[in-house]
Amino acid sequence: NPKYLQTLELNKILERLAEHTSFSVGRELALALRPSIDTETVRSRQRETAEAKRLVSVNPGVTVGGARDVRPLLKNAEVGAMIDAQGLLDIQSTLLGGKGLRRAIVPNAADYPSLAEIAQRIEECPKLVAEIGRCINDRGEVMDSASPALARIRRELAVARDRMLDRLNRLVGSSEAGSYLQEMLITQRGGRYVIPIKAEFKGRIPGIVHDQSASGATLFVEPIAVVELGNRLRELQLDEQREIERILRELTADVAEHSVAIGLTVQALAELDLALAKAEYAFESRCVEPDVLDGSPPKGDAPYATYLQLVRARHPLLPAETVVPIDVHLGGEFLALIITGPNTGGKTVALKTVGLLAAMFQCGLQIPAGDGSALRVFSGLYADIGDEQSIEQSLSTFSSHMSNIVSILAEADADSLVLLDELGAGTDPTEGSALGQAILMELLERRVPAMVTTHYNELKLFAQATAGVQNASVEFDVATLAPTYRLTVGLPGRSNAFAIARRLGLPEEIITE
C-alpha cells in the first residue's frame, strides 16, 4: 500500500537512489521501484545489486555512458517523421554506450550472471552506428562524406561564395562607393549578402533594400551587380538543404528498421543503470546484503519462525556520523515486540528503521546494517506512525490512529509486518491500554508479527505475562537528560518523567507529592 510506504519514507530513499542513475530512463525506474512480495524476485534483485557492487569494485568507471532516452525519436522514425542530426547522434551515443557496457559484462558472465542476462539484450547495431558516424560529425553537422552530391554542391557553394565576396569587396573598396557607406563591411540579411548604405544616399548604389537599422539611418542593400550571384548562391544553398534532408531521411529510415532493437537496448541500459545506481548507493550508505529468510516453520522449540534479524541497523535518512545503530530481532520466542521508553528516546525511529529497511530489502536495495542481518519477504508492510490528525476530516489524534489500525487489521495476515506507534495513545490511558492489549491479542491469535511503541505500564506488564510478546526499551541517561538511542530487547523501559522533571527544576515537594 503506497500510503504505508510513504509513512516509512521510502520515496526519499528512491530519490537518493535516482541521483546515482546516469540517464533519464534509469532514473524513471529508480523512482518507480516498489517492494516485491515474491521471494524469488527479491532474491534476483539482491543478486543484481551484489553483482553490480562487485563490478563497480573491479571496474570503477563502468557506466551506461552516453545513453539517452531516444524512445520518442524511435516513435518518430516509425511514423516517418525525420530525425535531426542531433537526434541521430543521441541514438548513436546510446548504442555505443550499450556496446561498451555489453562488452564489459557479457564476457564475464560467470562472475555477473544476472547482469549478463540483462546485457545480452543490448543490440549493438554496428551498421547503423557506422552510417551515422560516416554522415554526421560530433558537432551535429552533416559532413561532405555523407554523399557525393552533397560534396559537389558544397564545392560549388564555396566557389559561388568566393565570387560573391570578391565582387562585393571590390565594390566596397572603390572610391566611388566609399562615401555612400555607413561602414566598410559586408554582412547578411535574410540569407542575402548586403552592404550598409547611409539612408540619404539611397539609390546612389542601385540594388535591393533588405533591411534598415533601428534608427533608420542605415539601409542594408544588395547591389544590383551581385543579385544574379546571390540568386545562384541561394539556389545552391537550397540544393544543399534538400540533400541534407534526403540524407537525414535515409538515416531515419535505417533507425526505423532498427527501432525494436534500439528500444530493447534502451530498456536493458535502464535496468543496468538502476543496478549500478543501487551499487553506488550501497557504497555511499555502507550497506550490506542481508540474508533472505525463507519463512520456513520454527526451528527446534521456538514457537515462531524468524521474521527479521537486524544487526547494527541504521536509519538511512539520519546522518551516518551520528546515527546510533540498533540490534533488533523478531520471531523465535516472540511474535510481538513492545518498545517502551521516554519521549525523543528513539522508539519511533526504531520502528521506522525496521519498516524502511524491510521495504528497501524487498526493492532489491542493500540495507545499512551489519553482517548477519536477515529478513523475510513480507506480503504487506503496515505502519501507523506519527500524528496524522486531520482538521479537514475532523479526526482527532486517537481517531486518526484508530482508523489506520482498523484498516490494518482488515488487511494484515501472517505474512505481513505491522508497526504501530504509541498504541492506544490519545485517549483515556485505562481505555487506551485495554484497547492496546486487545489489539495485540488479536494480532497474536492471527500470528501477525508486530512491533509497537507505548508509554503504558499495562502493556509492559502484558508483555511480561503473555507468551509470544517481548519487551524492549530505548535507553535514557538521567544524568544528562539525553537519550542514548540504544535499543535493548528483553527489558521494559521507563518514561523517566520524575527524573526529567527534577533535572528541569520542578520543586522537590511537588515531585514528592
Side-chain angles (χ1 to χ4, degrees), residues 36-343:
S36 171
I37 62 172
D38 178 68
T39 300
E40 283 312 307
T41 300
V42 173
R43 289 184 193 276
S44 174
R45 288 178 172 185
Q46 288 291 339
R47 280 196 299 271
E48 284 177 15
T49 306
E51 288 177 19
K53 276 185 78 175
R54 294 200 300 273
L55 178 62
V56 170
S57 296
V58 173
N59 188 353
V62 68
T63 174
V64 298
R68 302 284 185 273
D69 182 7
V70 297
R71 293 173 301 181
L73 299 177
L74 300 180
K75 288 182 180 178
N76 288 347
E78 288 168 357
V79 298
M82 188 185 77
I83 302 173
D84 64 15
Q86 186 55 54
L88 290 164
L89 282 184
D90 287 345
I91 290 170
Q92 182 195 44
S93 177
T94 300
L95 292 170
L96 288 173
K99 173 183 175 181
L101 202 54
R102 178 187 172 96
R103 297 191 178 188
I105 296 173
V106 172
N108 302 299
D111 297 322
Y112 317 114
S114 298
L115 297 183
E117 188 176 333
I118 300 171
Q120 283 172 342
R121 305 203 316 260
I122 293 173
E123 300 282 352
E124 297 184 14
C125 304
K127 290 183 179 179
L128 177 60
V129 169
E131 189 64 8
I132 294 173
R134 184 182 70 81
C135 296
I136 302 171
N137 64 22
D138 294 339
R139 297 186 300 278
E141 300 164 341
V142 178
M143 297 184 291
D144 295 357
S145 57
S147 78
L150 184 60
R152 174 185 57 76
I153 291 167
R154 284 181 172 169
R155 284 195 300 270
E156 293 180 15
L157 255 176
V159 171
R161 190 175 290 112
D162 287 345
R163 286 177 181 169
M164 165 72 77
L165 292 175
D166 181 61
R167 181 75 63 88
L168 285 173
N169 279 322
R170 279 191 277 122
L171 180 59
V172 168
S174 69
S175 56
E176 180 183 353
S179 59
Y180 305 143
L181 300 178
Q182 196 71 266
E183 292 181 80
M184 303 282 288
L185 61 81
I186 300 166
T187 185
Q188 286 189 2
R189 288 293 187 275
R192 309 288 291 200
Y193 283 95
V194 295
I195 55 178
I197 296 176
K198 296 173 184 176
E200 61 265 29
F201 297 121
K202 178 182 178 182
R204 298 294 179 90
I205 298 179
I208 301 168
V209 177
H210 286 281
D211 198 4
Q212 68 177 7
S213 65
S215 65
T218 304
L219 301 175
F220 295 94
V221 176
E222 180 182 17
I224 201 74
V226 298
V227 168
E228 283 303 317
L229 289 174
N231 289 342
R232 177 57 181 158
L233 194 62
R234 186 62 183 148
E235 288 171 8
L236 289 168
Q237 288 171 339
L238 291 172
D239 288 345
E240 178 191 33
Q241 191 57 43
R242 279 192 290 269
E243 181 61 13
I244 288 173
E245 188 172 313
R246 186 193 67 77
I247 292 164
L248 294 178
R249 288 196 178 280
E250 281 193 359
L251 290 173
T252 298
D254 289 345
V255 169
E257 288 181 15
H258 293 84
S259 64
V260 173
I262 299 169
L264 292 172
T265 295
V266 170
Q267 183 61 32
L269 285 172
E271 291 174 29
L272 291 171
D273 190 27
L274 176 59
L276 294 171
K278 287 195 242 179
E280 295 290 354
Y281 178 81
F283 283 123
E284 177 187 73
S285 301
R286 305 200 312 275
C287 295
V288 301
E289 179 184 3
D291 293 330
V292 182
L293 298 170
D294 56 13
S296 55
K299 295 180 180 178
D301 297 329
Y304 304 105
T306 302
Y307 294 97
L308 60 89
Q309 176 77 46
L310 296 177
V311 180
R312 297 187 60 76
R314 308 180 308 278
H315 195 290
L317 296 176
L318 294 176
E321 61 275 9
T322 58
V323 64
V324 177
I326 61 170
D327 293 334
V328 59
H329 64 279
L330 192 61
E333 294 298 324
F334 57 91
L335 187 67
L337 188 65
I338 298 178
I339 306 174
T340 49
N343 287 326

